[in-house]
Amino acid sequence: MGEALVAFRDSEGRIGLLDEFCAHRGTSLWLGRNEQGGLRCIWHGWKYDVTGQCVHQLNETDETTFAGKIRIKSYPTCELGGVIWAYMGPPEKAPPAPRFGWTQVPESHRHVSKVMQGCNWLQGLEGGLDQSHVGILHRSFRNNPNNPGSGPDSFNARGGSPTFDVEPTEFGARYVAIRPLGDHRRYVRSYNFVMPFTQIRPFSPRSEAEAGKKFNPGHMWVPIDDENCFVWNWMYSWGEEPLTEDDRSERSLSNGPDDVDQKTFRSFRNKENNWLIDRAMQRKENFSGIVGVNTQDRAVQELQGRIADRTKEHLGPADRAIIAARQALLQAVREVQAGNAPPGADTSYYRARSTVKIISAEASWRAAVLEDMQPPEEHRISGR
């Protein structure tokens, strides 16, 4: 969020998230020694606990009480779903812990990764909420496991351009894309937008038999600063079946170690090398000439500019989810300015998930998917 911070796990397992710079002479605590319940600056030996309190100073005598007068900024944290979360707002307005569905299942049933994206977080989010691009940008001209996407026999490709329905929720919005499958059936993909930057989406089934699979992936576009963000990618099984190694590889999405440097979290295909676009591939293999579904997303979103100029846009009916998200974000700003809590700061999203269904042309999508999108509490996680 534009702040210079340092995180560490102390010898008792507690997480500290502190101002990066020592209060003494201002050097970085990233160089610090992690020892005996605190982080010690290597310059003069000032040591801080996870609350930011200075607890010892090697360059001062034991008789002085100077350490007790020194405290640096710290933020409270919690650990859920294998991820460390920080609350950076006013202490008196701290929300409940972020217990998304994927944080509530065993480690065998979830997977989390992240990748840096070189643009403002909001255009990444808007790209994730946009369903009409799925059968276009991610289109593959043949079924090739080494270059996956929306193949010619996928429901996204077969169904053509979708129509949309968007409804507000306590935590943001739910929306569905409905694609006709011939004269008698429809392909329904339901999504949830959890304020302010989370997308919960269904997986893409390869057959009708897979349409009932209890599996959700999604993203969080978390700001680093105004012009960069981290895309957190998560997936989980809310049924009995654990994730497979193929699921965890994220090869089709291009978010795994084959595609992303696990030290810098920078994609190997990036703006500096033109995302390794291949024009011959673009003619013969897929619509973009770029390998990897989320690499394709990052390419088009980053080339909007670091901060997209929305005054030049022409949004149409297919952009209803983006329009609804912008309206929700603007309303949230007004709520916070008035001293109220924004949507998504309660527990209403704890049971939110997404699903796909194939239904008859006459059937109601609400009757088909709403219970799966917000199941009763006792059915939140099947079998657990």
Side-chain angles (χ1 to χ4, degrees):
M1 305 290 283
E3 292 190 53
L5 305 172
V6 62
F8 71 104
R9 188 188 298 274
D10 75 6
S11 55
E12 298 178 23
R14 298 173 298 182
I15 302 295
L17 183 63
L18 312 178
D19 188 322
E20 181 184 345
F21 303 106
C22 179
H24 181 215
R25 299 286 301 282
T27 197
S28 174
L29 292 171
W30 180 83
L31 295 168
R33 293 175 55 87
N34 190 335
E35 59 177 37
Q36 297 177 323
L39 188 64
R40 191 183 293 277
C41 178
I42 64 170
W43 198 355
H44 297 92
W46 286 25
K47 180 179 173 181
Y48 303 89
D49 66 16
V50 296
T51 72
Q53 177 63 52
C54 185
V55 294
H56 190 235
Q57 298 166 326
L58 285 178
N59 68 333
E60 300 286 352
T61 66
D62 291 340
E63 288 75 28
T64 182
T65 60
F66 188 34
K69 301 175 182 179
I70 304 297
R71 180 186 290 270
I72 60 176
K73 182 189 295 183
S74 68
Y75 291 109
T77 64
C78 65
E79 199 165 355
L80 288 167
V83 173
I84 296 164
W85 308 75
Y87 175 66
M88 304 177 76
E92 69 277 9
K93 294 187 177 182
R99 298 185 185 278
F100 290 91
W102 58 270
T103 73
Q104 302 178 52
V105 297
E107 188 174 353
S108 59
H109 285 60
R110 69 170 185 263
H111 174 74
V112 185
S113 66
K114 69 177 181 179
V115 58
M116 183 176 284
Q117 183 162 326
C119 66
N120 181 267
W121 68 275
L122 182 54
Q123 62 211 65
L125 168 69
E126 290 174 348
L129 299 180
D130 167 21
Q131 289 197 53
S132 69
H133 81 277
V134 175
I136 303 171
L137 174 65
H138 305 315
R139 183 185 304 173
S140 294
F141 302 143
R142 64 189 183 94
N143 295 316
N144 181 354
N146 295 318
N147 194 354
S150 293
D153 59 351
S154 69
F155 292 111
N156 287 324
R158 289 162 50 195
S161 299
T163 57
F164 295 90
D165 219 334
V166 183
E167 296 180 342
T169 63
E170 292 180 68
F171 51 76
R174 71 168 65 98
Y175 58 106
V176 298
I178 305 167
R179 291 175 168 86
L181 292 175
D183 295 332
H184 306 295
R185 296 187 302 169
R186 297 187 295 172
Y187 175 54
V188 178
R189 287 180 63 83
S190 67
Y191 283 59
N192 279 297
F193 163 47
V194 182
M195 291 278 288
F197 49 49
T198 298
Q199 169 228 59
I200 303 174
R201 75 175 190 278
F203 81 111
S204 296
R206 290 166 292 187
S207 67
E208 291 191 34
E210 281 192 335
K213 187 176 180 180
K214 298 178 178 180
F215 182 94
N216 275 172
H219 303 289
M220 301 181 294
W221 288 267
V222 181
I224 297 173
D225 52 32
D226 284 346
E227 298 185 345
N228 299 277
C229 62
F230 269 124
V231 189
W232 287 81
N233 318 292
W234 50 265
M235 62 180 72
Y236 78 111
S237 168
W238 42 275
E240 299 298 333
E241 296 297 322
L243 299 185
T244 67
E245 288 307 308
D246 185 58
D247 293 329
R248 296 178 186 278
S249 73
E250 298 190 83
R251 290 188 186 92
S252 66
L253 299 174
S254 63
N255 295 325
D258 291 344
D259 297 282
V260 177
D261 186 318
Q262 296 301 293
K263 291 183 179 179
T264 65
F265 300 102
R266 190 84 191 278
S267 173
F268 296 132
R269 297 178 178 88
N270 56 61
K271 189 174 183 179
E272 280 66 39
N273 57 29
N274 296 319
W275 300 276
L276 300 181
I277 189 170
D278 184 328
R279 297 298 184 178
M281 181 193 302
Q282 191 172 30
R283 288 191 297 271
K284 299 177 181 179
E285 291 286 333
N286 69 10
F287 201 75
S288 67
I290 297 171
V291 174
V293 169
N294 286 155
T295 304
Q296 296 159 4
D297 288 322
R298 290 190 290 273
V300 297
Q301 293 160 15
E302 289 178 350
L303 280 179
Q304 290 180 286
R306 291 284 183 169
I307 301 176
D309 184 355
R310 293 171 177 82
T311 65
K312 297 179 179 179
E313 292 179 332
H314 298 82
L315 299 186
D319 301 307
R320 290 185 62 191
I322 294 172
I323 294 167
R326 291 181 184 179
Q327 291 171 337
L329 287 165
L330 289 170
Q331 179 59 33
V333 170
R334 289 189 284 268
E335 291 291 338
V336 172
Q337 289 174 335
N340 302 319
D346 57 12
T347 64
S348 60
Y349 63 88
Y350 280 12
R351 292 180 288 121
R353 60 195 185 200
S354 297
T355 188
V356 297
K357 290 290 176 67
I358 298 170
I359 63 176
S360 70
E362 298 79 22
S364 162
W365 70 260
R366 290 176 178 82
V369 304
L370 277 188
E371 185 170 343
D372 275 347
M373 293 185 75
Q374 193 80 0
E377 179 71 23
E378 63 271 19
H379 297 140
R380 184 177 70 241
I381 300 170
S382 175
R384 277 177 288 283

